[in-house]
Amino acid sequence: EKMKLKSNGIQITCYGDYYPEKILTDEEIRGRLKYPDMHPAERAVIGDIGVTKRHRANEKETSVFMASKACEMAMKNAGVKPESIDLYLFCNWTERYYLPDLAPQASLLNGTKNALAFDLGTACTGFVHGVQTASCYLQTGKWKKALVVGAERFSERTKKGGYGEFTAGDAAAAVLMEFTGNTDTGIIDTCLFDVGSLIDVITCTAP
């Protein structure tokens, strides 16, 4: 008999997103490249990613601003009030501060005044970590509804006039998660590992 996978009782009930107004094309980037010929190392890393345009945030469109807009859409799509959210996780690594966290600032904009809000900054895996962390909180029964949002201004971490601009897009996306107890549908599991011995493979210091 085929084994039936069971959910942990956590549902992703709605989502929201935000894309900056400006769209940057490949032609615009090529027009300001400092070195027209791609270095072999850059070619090996970037290669032909097949992306011809990407969204680029302006000064107003900070990670906090974009996160709040994505969460606003998620709550609107779900038909829930900000006051019903009791957990707010903000996943970001491109616009970090030592203090304060970004999450309380975005939560304030959303009016989620009853939510515990904090940041998670684990780079590319940040959103998965956010979903996993929210699941753990929701399973305790103390928290009922959670917003997990990832918002990045990747363009702030790339060198202008370099090939890295081809990979740099800015945007935000959020999910609303709830504990329903229904094990027939929902999140089954998340699986993350770390390899501490490889910490020197990619290093990015504070700007």
Side-chain angles (χ1 to χ4, degrees), residues 21 26 75 117 126:
E21 298 172 4
D26 284 359
M75 289 187 288

Side-chain angles (χ1 to χ4, degrees), residues 170-183:
D170 304 330
V175 292
L176 176 66
M177 298 172 60
E178 301 182 62
F179 178 77
T180 65
N182 184 354
T183 59

Side-chain angles (χ1 to χ4, degrees), residues 45-156:
V45 174
I46 298 173
D48 182 13
I49 60 175
V51 177
T52 59
K53 58 186 179 181
R54 69 285 300 148
H55 291 264
R56 182 60 53 86
N58 59 35
E59 290 184 3
K60 180 190 77 172
E61 294 168 319
T62 63
S63 293
V64 167
F65 174 86
M66 293 191 294
S68 69
K69 289 297 183 182
C71 287
E72 180 182 315
M73 179 186 288
M75 289 187 288
K76 182 179 179 181
N77 290 341
V80 302
K81 294 181 178 180
E83 294 82 4
S84 69
I85 305 298
D86 43 24
L87 185 65
Y88 194 117
L89 303 186
F90 192 141
C91 311
N92 173 279
W93 75 272
T94 55
E95 209 167 9
R96 303 289 301 146
Y97 292 90
Y98 290 115
L99 284 173
D101 271 8
L102 302 176
Q105 301 173 58
S107 179
L108 179 65
L109 292 177
N110 284 129
T112 49
K113 60 182 181 180
N114 296 321
L116 167 64
F118 61 90
D119 291 2
L120 289 170
T122 51
C124 298
T125 60
F127 191 78
V128 181
H129 270 291
V131 169
Q132 181 172 263
T133 302
S135 293
C136 292
Y137 273 80
L138 292 171
Q139 284 178 298
T140 67
K142 184 177 180 180
W143 290 268
K144 305 298 183 183
K145 289 183 174 66
L147 282 168
V148 178
V149 58
E152 303 287 3
R153 293 179 71 188
F154 202 82
S155 59
E156 293 295 306

